[in-house]
Structures are given as structure tokens and as C-alpha cells.
Amino acid sequence: MNLYSDTQTRPSKGMRAAMAAAEVGDEQRGADPTTRLLEERVAQLLGHEAAVFLPSGTMCNEIALALHVRPGGDEVILHESAHPVVAEAGGPAQLAGAMIRTLDGAGGMFTAAQLDAAVRRPGDRYAPRSRLVCGEQTTNLGGGRVWPLQRVREVLAVARRHGLRAHLDGARLMNAVVASGVAASEYACGFDTAWIDFTKGLGAPVGAVLAGSRELIEEAWRFKQMLGGALRQSGILAAACLYALEHNVERLAEDHEHASALAAGLAALPGARIDPAAVQTNIVMFEVEDAPALVARLAERVELVAFGQRRVRAVTHLDVSRRDIDAALEAIAELLG
């Protein structure tokens, strides 16, 4: 079974039918009605004025950084495990000309006090200019942790006091919404830009949507064009995302239950180290003595991913059942035993 990532999901029959029936037009001219509907829905969901459909979440992040950061010494502040730092091929430097300032913190989260201490003094000709702060909801390598709404507000308050812009990487925002009961707009509306991904737990094959003010989204379109992102009859893809919003949000709770069951089972195994209470959504991070060896030996039965020498990540999603979780635990137990 595939616990490598929730990006491994495949579109269901219902989603495929919605894609096949989608009304389409030229997206670049604003003439694709399905894409326009998706953009309007996501803008409203996230509490922003407008939105733009993009092929990937990575493109959402990179375009957002380019919107907020000026080449020539501007600095982005974010967690050391955040996606633009570890998984976007140096894109912030290449595409936005950004300096990166990383903060640490448990679970992939930093505090308002850490941000306050990290912001550069204005007028210091020797230092980069602090320009943007980014948060990740939920945290990926932090173990699927949910930023508490109060901490989000505290971080945003510090950002505003220093004149910083703020960007939310909401790749798994809907997991946070389901786990916490807090509306997506409550998490996202205080940021200048925010996005959600449809290719993870929501189960679509392609697509993410970046939201912000009308002015910022108009500028985002320029960067989309610059990066070759005009999609023409994108309604076929947007229909999958609309189907996901209508059918696959509430069921994320099942993925969270499966992740909790996996964490509890791992905690009972000799040789596996994990705090089940730290598992809040669909990502399970645990430690073993030799993570690459364990992942390699399990590969034919269970697909996982190793991070470094000791950390292993497992991610539950809509193609994973409780029976799959039990089978995975049995396979892991055999090797660790």
C-alpha cells in the first residue's frame, strides 16, 4: 500500500465523471466557466477578493514570493522545514531573488516572539530587508501539526507591526479545518496571499488555487503567464477540484483517524519511537535506528519515505483503508521485531 504521500491519490469514478462533463473555454481569456467558478469558490472560502487556478502548490508559493519580494536584498522569514526551503529547488532565489531566513520550532511552527527577534532593523544598509513571513498549514515535515489560530494571529500581528507582508502555504489547510473546526477563512484571511492544494488529501490529479486581493491576483496572472502556466481548457481539471470541495473535505476526518491508529500501533512496537498525541492530522512521523534501510526493505509491501537517518514519514489518504493500516503495522512489526 502507498503511505508515501497523500499526493499519490487517484481520481475516483465520480471525479472522473465530473471532469468528463465539465463545461470548458479558454482559461487565459477568462472564458472557462468551470475554472472561474472554482476561483470564485476558493476566494470566498479563504476570505479573499480573487483567486487564480495554477497547476501546482509549488507554483502558488513561487508566484506569491515573487509578488511580495523585490530582488536585490529582500528577505523571506519562514520555518526551516517549510516547503520553499526544502522542496522547491531553490526557486525563491532563482524566481524571486529572495534571501531566506529560517526559524526553528517544534512541529514546524515558530512563535511571534521568534519572528519579532528575526526581523531586521529598518535602515540597516548591511542587512537584507525583512519583507515577508510565511506559514505552512498544516506543517509537512513538522508532522501534520495544526497552527493554533491564536498563534497565527499573534504572528500576523508582529508582521503587521513591522510592515511585513504575509503568505500562507495552505497545501493541507483543509486538514487543519477538519481537525480543528476552525473555518478556512479564519486561518487565511489575515494573510496577503493564501492557497489550497487539491492534489493531496482532496484527491484531485492536478491543481491548486492562490487567493489574494484583486490587485495581487492580477499581478499573479503576469507571473503565471511568464512561467508558462496558461492552461486553455482548464475546466477539465478545475472540475476535479470542485468535485473535491463538494465530496472530499469532510472525509479527511477518516484519514486523521487512520493516522492516529497507525501512530498508536507504532508506539507499541519495539524499535519505533513516536508520540501518538502529536499526530493531529494525516501525517505520521516516527523514528527508527535506520530509516533508509527500513523503507527499502518495506518497499514492496508498504511505501514510506525516509528523512535523514532516523525519521520516517507515513501519510494517510483516501486510497488507504483501516485494513491497509493494520497490514502496514504488521509489515513494520515483522522487520522491527
Side-chain angles (χ1 to χ4, degrees):
M1 80 238 24
N2 196 320
L3 296 174
Y4 183 89
S5 174
D6 44 7
T7 60
Q8 308 300 295
T9 56
R10 299 181 181 182
S12 64
K13 290 182 179 179
M15 183 177 285
R16 289 175 183 266
M19 295 170 73
E23 186 178 358
V24 299
D26 188 343
E27 175 243 21
Q28 192 179 40
R29 298 170 57 204
D32 189 296
T34 307
T35 300
R36 291 182 62 180
L37 176 60
L38 174 66
E39 291 168 342
E40 291 166 3
R41 290 274 296 275
V42 173
Q44 181 179 22
L45 179 70
L46 300 186
H48 285 276
E49 291 181 338
V52 57
F53 181 61
L54 294 165
S56 73
T58 294
M59 190 177 285
C60 287
N61 275 340
E62 293 301 330
I63 288 178
L65 265 62
L67 290 174
H68 299 308
V69 173
R70 295 182 302 184
D74 279 5
E75 182 177 70
V76 180
I77 303 172
L78 66 182
H79 194 273
E80 61 188 2
S81 67
H83 199 270
V85 177
V86 302
E88 296 185 11
Q94 176 68 22
L95 301 175
M99 288 280 291
I100 295 293
R101 182 83 175 273
T102 61
L103 305 176
D104 61 7
M109 296 174 284
F110 50 86
T111 66
Q114 285 178 283
L115 175 61
D116 190 47
V119 175
R120 309 285 185 173
R121 294 176 299 170
D124 184 349
R125 70 176 67 174
Y126 301 102
R129 288 184 295 261
S130 297
R131 185 71 68 182
L132 175 69
V133 61
C134 299
E136 188 179 62
Q137 182 75 297
T138 62
T139 64
N140 181 359
L141 299 188
R145 299 286 289 276
V146 178
W147 281 73
L149 182 58
Q150 183 59 34
R151 185 183 291 199
V152 170
R153 288 173 172 168
E154 290 167 356
V155 165
L156 289 173
V158 170
R160 299 316 180 196
R161 178 158 55 82
H162 287 287
L164 304 184
R165 289 192 176 187
H167 170 65
L168 178 64
D169 175 337
R172 295 179 175 87
L173 176 60
M174 301 315 294
N175 289 89
V177 169
V178 169
S180 67
V182 175
S185 59
E186 284 291 298
Y187 282 128
C189 68
F191 291 84
D192 295 285
T193 49
W195 61 276
I196 58 173
D197 200 313
F198 291 93
T199 70
K200 296 183 171 66
L202 296 180
V206 176
V209 176
L210 175 68
S213 67
R214 295 191 190 283
E215 181 181 8
L216 283 173
I217 296 306
E218 185 66 28
E219 186 69 8
W221 251 104
R222 290 190 71 254
F223 285 109
K224 177 178 177 177
Q225 180 69 20
M226 193 183 303
L227 295 172
L231 299 173
R232 304 307 182 188
Q233 289 75 40
S234 58
I236 294 172
L237 301 174
C241 301
L242 285 168
Y243 181 93
L245 280 179
E246 293 167 3
H247 297 88
N248 291 347
V249 173
E250 291 183 3
R251 63 142 308 280
L252 291 171
E254 298 176 19
D255 299 341
H256 301 171
E257 292 172 4
H258 293 158
S260 294
L262 178 61
L266 288 168
L269 297 180
R273 294 178 295 278
I274 184 173
D275 176 10
V279 176
Q280 297 177 333
T281 55
N282 68 322
I283 298 177
V284 178
M285 303 290 294
F286 63 100
E287 292 188 358
V288 295
E289 285 302 313
D290 191 340
L294 177 69
V295 169
R297 293 174 65 191
L298 280 169
E300 292 187 2
R301 298 171 65 183
V302 185
E303 291 187 63
L304 302 166
V305 60
F307 288 95
Q309 184 59 34
R310 290 185 170 82
R311 298 181 80 204
V312 180
R313 188 187 72 175
V315 187
T316 58
H317 50 79
L318 61 83
D319 291 340
V320 173
S321 67
R322 179 55 190 268
R323 182 177 297 180
D324 291 330
I325 297 299
D326 293 338
L329 284 169
E330 181 179 351
I332 295 169
E334 287 178 13
L335 291 184
L336 291 181

